[in-house]
């Protein structure tokens, strides 16, 4: 099946009939503003400002029903920008009230703000009217009720990103601390976050403390905190290097205090990361087709969780190309007359979804035999550049994931083989 965006655009326009009241809402943290037009774009009624709470939402519903009654309209569609997290409560409330809610692209709102008055002016009332016009012209996307499992994944993976950033930050600061106070530690432990290095930093962090200890004392200290500890050879080397250390010899109390806080942050982030990944695994097991997707060699639980958390139920996408558009990975070009510009990806979509699709594809290219063959065929037979091949394979992965989810079928390696035979 060929997926054509133009067909979808036509369908979105055709859905707005002469019986529709089209409402645009400019989203804010506390006070929203609503404007309404009919299917021709003629302004209907006065603007409405309402609070971001239950009373305000009921005022919006009363206002909508009054406009429908006065103008003899039967249907309602409400458009809004997905501004931060402020729009989610209103959209869910409207869906619970069986009022159709849709979103518009904030970038397009900015580009269309001069359509009515040909000025650069901006206000909440004007933005609401621009949003209503865009919905009337079919420039909107549906808001679907996300199943709880997918919403959980989105929250958990967002939480995981925050924890990983904190963990990476603490590791970087520990590395800096070692460079300043005890740089010779790297000659004993290549990685300063390995168990032996962390145990050493906890027990005797500064070279001054190590100077007064024998190798036997160092090993004994390791044994008190580790089941499997480094041997006497590393302990002896560590003691010798401490005596000749070029690290800072001043303000050691402050440095030691700083290190203790860094290790606390490192421990906390490590524990939280382990817990959130356990929650992700449990949530993934509740999704029916997830196990079939994980059967693809090279797809990790974290990558798949990131994709499902950002994209939602993949069976709701009409085609893999729709998933690519959702991620901002669809191709765009600029050309005029005899001039043809570069074809690039739009990057107008979910950045986190793009990241996880890219990471999943890179993992497949390294570990999955079929994707290895496809990548080899693209580079050596079709003479593509490496990154162009990866982008092409991301599209392949998107189509495979959507197809497997829609049909609830297992991964079939034979369908993924390159059509061109690979030269020996």
């Amino acid at each position: 099946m060929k997926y054509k965006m133009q067909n979808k655009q036509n369908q979105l326009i055709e859905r707005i009939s002469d019986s529709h009241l089209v409402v645009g809402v400019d989203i804010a943290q506390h006070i929203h503003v609503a404007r309404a037009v009919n299917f021709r774009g003629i302004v209907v009624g006065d603007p409405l400002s309402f609070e971001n709470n239950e009373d305000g939402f009921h005022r919006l519903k009363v206002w909508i029903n009054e406009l429908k009654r006065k103008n003899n309209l039967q249907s309602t569609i409400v458009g809004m920008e997905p501004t931060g997290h402020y729009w989610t409560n209103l959209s869910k409330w409207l869906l619970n009230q069986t009022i159709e809610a849709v979103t518009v692209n904030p970038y397009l709102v900015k580009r269309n703000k001069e359509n009515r008055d040909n000025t650069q002016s901006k206000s909440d009332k004007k933005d609401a009217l621009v949003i209503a016009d865009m919905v009337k012209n079919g420039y909107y996307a549906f808001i679907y009720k996300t199943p709880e499992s997918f919403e959980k994944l989105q929250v958990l993976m967002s939480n995981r990103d925050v924890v990983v950033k904190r963990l990476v930050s603490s590791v970087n600061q520990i590395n800096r601390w070692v460079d300043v106070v005890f740089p010779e530690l790297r000659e004993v432990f290549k990685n300063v976050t390995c168990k032996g290095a962390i145990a050493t930093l906890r027990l005797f962090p500064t070279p001054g403390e190590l100077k007064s200890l024998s190798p036997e004392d160092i090993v004994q200290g390791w044994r008190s905190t580790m089941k499997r500890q480094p041997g006497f050879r590393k302990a002896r080397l560590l003691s010798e290097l401490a005596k000749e250390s070029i690290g800072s010899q001043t303000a050691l109390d402050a440095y030691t205090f700083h290190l203790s806080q860094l290790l606390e942050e490192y421990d906390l982030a490590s524990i939280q990361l382990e817990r959130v990944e356990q929650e992700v695994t449990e949530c993934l097991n509740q999704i029916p087709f997830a196990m079939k997707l994980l059967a693809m060699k090279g797809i990790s639980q974290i990558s798949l969780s990131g994709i499902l958390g950002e994209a939602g139920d993949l069976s709701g996408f009409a085609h893999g190309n729709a998933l690519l558009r959702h991620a901002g990975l669809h191709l765009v070009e600029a050309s005029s007359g005899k001039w043809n510009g570069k074809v690039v990806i739009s990057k107008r979509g979910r950045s986190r979804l793009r990241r996880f699709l890219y990471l999943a594809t890179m993992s497949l290219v390294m570990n999955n035999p079929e994707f290895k063959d496809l990548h080899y065929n693209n580079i050596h037979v079709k003479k593509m550049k490496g990154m162009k091949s990866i982008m092409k394979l991301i599209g392949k992965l998107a189509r495979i994931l959507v197809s497997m989810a829609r049909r609830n079928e297992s991964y079939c390696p034979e369908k993924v083989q390159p059509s061109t035979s690979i030269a020996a």
Side-chain angles (χ1 to χ4, degrees):
M1 179 186 69
K2 293 290 185 182
Y3 175 84
K4 293 185 178 180
M5 186 61 194
Q6 187 60 54
N7 294 341
K8 181 181 177 182
Q9 188 65 36
N10 291 341
Q11 293 169 7
L12 293 175
I13 297 172
E14 289 170 355
R15 288 186 73 256
I16 308 299
S17 66
D18 56 2
S19 63
H20 263 95
L21 177 71
V22 183
V23 178
V25 179
D26 183 66
I27 297 293
Q29 184 175 9
H30 301 295
I31 304 295
H32 306 315
V33 177
R35 299 288 298 273
V37 300
N38 63 14
F39 81 108
R40 293 178 60 194
I42 299 173
V43 177
V44 176
D46 296 324
L48 172 72
S49 297
F50 61 99
E51 298 79 12
N52 187 22
N53 55 33
E54 183 75 13
D55 292 339
F57 296 169
H58 278 293
R59 285 184 57 221
L60 173 66
K61 185 177 180 181
V62 170
W63 178 77
I64 289 174
N65 290 334
E66 184 66 18
L67 290 180
K68 288 167 66 177
R69 185 186 63 79
K70 286 182 178 179
N71 295 276
N72 195 26
L73 301 173
Q74 285 77 43
S75 304
T76 307
I77 183 170
V78 180
M80 64 194 77
E81 291 178 290
T83 306
H85 56 273
Y86 304 126
W87 65 284
T88 54
N89 292 336
L90 176 59
S91 65
K92 289 179 179 179
W93 188 87
L94 289 170
L95 291 175
N96 290 334
Q97 300 293 318
T98 65
I99 298 174
E100 185 175 19
V102 296
T103 59
V104 297
N105 191 317
Y107 185 80
L108 288 181
V109 174
K110 185 177 180 181
R111 295 289 294 269
N112 284 274
K113 69 179 181 180
E114 298 183 26
N115 286 355
R116 286 216 174 223
D117 55 10
N118 195 31
T119 68
Q120 301 93 336
S121 62
K122 183 184 185 306
S123 67
D124 293 344
K125 292 180 181 179
K126 181 178 178 180
D127 286 348
L129 186 57
V130 171
I131 292 169
D133 280 339
M134 289 177 60
V135 174
K136 180 262 298 183
N137 291 328
Y139 300 114
Y140 60 88
F142 296 108
I143 301 174
Y144 298 101
K145 282 188 176 180
T146 306
E148 188 174 359
S149 298
F150 295 96
E151 189 169 350
K152 278 184 180 179
L153 277 180
Q154 184 181 21
V155 174
L156 289 171
M157 292 305 294
S158 177
N159 183 22
R160 182 182 180 274
D161 276 359
V162 174
V163 174
V164 168
K165 286 180 182 178
R166 286 175 39 225
L167 181 61
V168 170
S169 175
S170 63
V171 169
N172 290 340
Q173 290 183 73
I174 290 172
N175 274 284
R176 177 190 176 278
W177 189 96
V178 170
D179 289 338
V180 173
V181 179
F182 192 13
E184 294 80 9
L185 183 67
R186 298 182 190 281
E187 297 183 31
V188 183
F189 303 105
K190 292 183 179 179
N191 184 1
V192 298
T193 57
C194 70
K195 290 183 179 179
I198 292 294
T200 302
L201 292 173
R202 290 187 203 280
L203 296 168
F204 12 78
T206 62
E209 295 179 54
L210 285 166
K211 287 179 185 179
S212 59
L213 298 174
S214 65
E216 290 77 11
D217 294 333
I218 296 173
V219 172
Q220 190 62 36
W222 285 337
R223 284 175 180 168
S224 65
T225 59
M226 303 171 62
K227 290 183 179 179
R228 296 182 62 184
Q229 64 282 337
F232 283 97
R233 186 179 62 83
K234 285 195 174 182
R236 190 177 300 109
L237 178 59
L238 193 63
S239 179
E240 293 172 357
L241 291 172
K243 295 174 183 177
E244 301 175 356
S245 176
I246 61 169
S248 176
Q249 300 296 321
T250 57
L252 292 179
D253 289 344
Y255 279 117
T256 304
F257 176 75
H258 183 208
L259 177 62
S260 67
Q261 290 193 319
L262 292 178
L263 292 174
E264 287 175 6
E265 176 66 17
Y266 173 78
D267 292 339
L268 178 60
S270 299
I271 293 171
Q272 289 181 339
L273 181 61
E274 184 178 353
R275 288 174 56 193
V276 74
E277 289 185 350
Q278 287 176 354
E279 291 288 330
V280 166
T281 301
E282 293 175 7
C283 188
L284 201 60
N285 292 334
Q286 298 173 7
I287 298 175
F289 56 81
M291 293 302 106
K292 293 183 178 179
L293 299 181
L294 283 174
M296 292 177 63
K297 186 177 180 182
I299 290 283
S300 68
Q301 287 189 345
I302 296 301
S303 295
L304 182 60
S305 299
I307 293 170
L308 296 180
E310 290 299 311
D313 189 354
L314 295 178
S315 61
F317 288 91
H319 192 275
N321 288 357
L323 177 60
L324 293 178
R325 292 189 69 88
H326 191 56
L329 285 169
H330 56 291
L331 300 178
V332 294
E333 65 174 336
S335 60
S336 178
K338 295 181 179 179
W339 175 78
N340 290 321
K342 269 189 174 182
V343 177
V344 297
I345 59 174
S346 70
K347 294 188 180 180
R348 288 190 190 169
R350 298 195 173 223
S351 59
R352 192 178 295 156
L353 179 57
R354 286 200 300 274
R355 171 160 60 91
F356 282 114
L357 282 171
Y358 174 78
L359 293 175
T361 303
M362 291 298 293
S363 178
L364 287 169
V365 167
M366 290 186 286
N367 301 293
N368 186 285
E370 295 76 45
F371 274 78
K372 273 186 182 180
D373 291 345
L374 287 169
H375 188 56
Y376 183 92
N377 190 60
N378 287 340
I379 292 177
H380 296 281
V381 177
K382 298 182 179 179
K383 306 300 180 183
M384 290 184 187
K385 292 184 178 180
M387 187 51 65
K388 184 177 180 181
S389 173
I390 294 297
M391 290 297 109
K392 189 177 180 67
L393 292 178
I394 289 176
K396 182 81 171 179
L397 175 62
R399 289 186 287 275
I400 290 172
L401 294 178
V402 171
S403 177
M404 289 175 64
R406 286 176 63 86
R407 301 173 186 174
N408 196 22
E409 64 181 11
S410 300
Y411 175 66
C412 182
E414 290 76 16
K415 294 182 180 180
V416 189
Q417 292 290 344
S419 56
T420 307
S421 60
I422 299 175

